[in-house]
Amino acid sequence: MKMKKLRVLRTRAGVSAAAVVLSGAGLGLTTATPAAAYAGYCNGQVGRTISNSGYHAKIPAYNGNVDCYMNRGAQSKAVSALQTTLNKCYGRNLDVDGIFGNNTRNALIYAQGREDISADGGYGKQTRTNIKWAYQYSGGIGQWACFYITNW
C-alpha cells in the first residue's frame, strides 16, 4: 500500500513539474476546449425544408447532428454547404470545392461581420444560428433565396 501511494505522489509531482515547464515555455495545458460542447467536427450535411414552399437548404452536420464545428483545414460536404451559403447569401465568389481554406475563412469572417457576431473565421453554433442560409427552390433550377433558420 505504501509503495502504491508513493507511485501516485511521484506521478502527480511529474505532471506538476511538466505543467510548470510548459507554462514557462509559453505553453499551457488545457482540460477542455470549446469544441467539447459540440457533437463533433462537421463531416456532412443535412437538409432543411421550409414547409410547403419547395425551398430546400443543406446545412453542415456531424453524423446528422447540426451542432458541429469546423475551421480552416476541414474538407467535407459540410464545407460545400457553407461555401454555397456564403456565395448565395453574402455575395462571395468561392469555388464550392469542400475545402475550408483561407478564402472560405475570409468569406466566413465577412458574413460573421455582416451579422454582427464574433468574426473569428470558425464555424460553430453562433454562426449556424445567426447567418442566413441558401435555399434552392425545387421547382426550378437556379432559383435561390436566403433565410434565417429559427427552429433548430
Side-chain angles (χ1 to χ4, degrees), residues 4 8 28 35 40 59 118 130 142:
K4 187 175 183 180
V8 169
I59 310 297
S118 177
N130 288 288

Side-chain angles (χ1 to χ4, degrees), residues 22-89:
L22 288 173
S23 65
L27 302 173
L29 297 174
T30 59
T31 56
T33 63
Y38 292 99
Y41 207 67
C42 304
N43 62 1
Q45 46 188 238
V46 296
R48 289 286 188 264
T49 302
I50 298 175
S51 297
N52 301 319
S53 71
Y55 280 100
H56 181 77
K58 293 180 182 175
I59 310 297
Y62 168 74
N63 295 341
N65 186 332
V66 297
D67 196 17
C68 63
Y69 69 98
M70 62 183 161
N71 50 33
R72 189 173 33 215
Q75 294 185 28
S76 67
K77 289 183 178 182
V79 178
S80 296
L82 178 61
Q83 289 170 329
T84 297
T85 281
L86 293 170
N87 286 345
K88 301 293 183 186
C89 299

Side-chain angles (χ1 to χ4, degrees), residues 134-148:
Y135 281 78
Q136 186 171 27
Y137 183 64
S138 60
I141 302 216
Q143 294 181 12
W144 292 86
C146 297
F147 302 106
Y148 294 101

Side-chain angles (χ1 to χ4, degrees), residues 3 13 15 20 23 33 41 60 66 75 77 99 103 108 128:
M3 195 65 149
V15 169
V20 169
S23 65
T33 63
Y41 207 67
V66 297
Q75 294 185 28
K77 289 183 178 182
I99 300 170
N103 292 339
L108 185 56
R128 172 178 52 86

